[in-house]
């Protein structure tokens, strides 16, 4: 019996699409507590699933999951409507 190893192409396609999945969030912002604006400035280098955000009042920068930012922006749209 001759054993052969083969790979399925699913992993490679998923990895490339996931790496750029949060690029559309860059530049978007929301108001926090009606006095500070939080803006997405970049995608985290170590983990493409996280984005770097910055608060305009004090310039503090931190990372948070991209899915959470999408949820925040979705809530902002619901409030505006």
């Amino acid at each position: 019996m001759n054993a052969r190893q083969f790979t399925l192409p699913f992993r490679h396609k998923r990895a490339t699409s996931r790496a750029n999945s949060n690029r559309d969030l860059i530049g978007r912002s929301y108001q926090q507590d009606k006095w500070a604006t939080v803006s997405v400035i970049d995608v985290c280098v170590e983990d493409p699933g996280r984005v770097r955000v910055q608060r305009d009042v004090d310039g503090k920068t931190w990372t948070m999951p991209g899915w959470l930012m999408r949820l925040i922006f979705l809530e902002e749209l619901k409030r505006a409507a």
Side-chain angles (χ1 to χ4, degrees):
M1 183 174 197
N2 188 7
R4 296 176 70 188
Q5 183 178 3
F6 63 93
T7 59
L8 297 174
F10 305 120
R11 183 176 179 98
H12 178 55
K13 286 182 183 177
R14 186 172 141 220
T16 56
S17 65
R18 187 175 180 195
N20 296 327
S21 64
N22 291 322
R23 292 266 178 219
D24 61 330
L25 294 175
I26 296 174
R28 295 183 67 180
S29 61
Y30 70 96
Q31 267 194 327
Q32 178 186 21
D33 299 331
K34 298 183 181 176
W35 56 271
T37 303
V38 177
S39 302
V40 178
I41 57 172
D42 198 9
V43 176
C44 188
V45 177
E46 294 86 20
D47 184 8
R50 299 179 69 85
V51 293
R52 290 181 48 214
V53 294
Q54 184 176 22
R55 187 169 43 209
D56 68 340
V57 174
D58 56 359
K60 182 178 177 186
T61 305
W62 68 94
T63 64
M64 60 189 308
W67 64 266
L68 186 58
M69 286 304 297
R70 289 184 194 285
L71 187 64
I72 290 170
F73 291 136
L74 184 65
E75 289 295 320
E76 289 287 317
L77 288 176
K78 286 182 181 177
R79 271 191 242 152

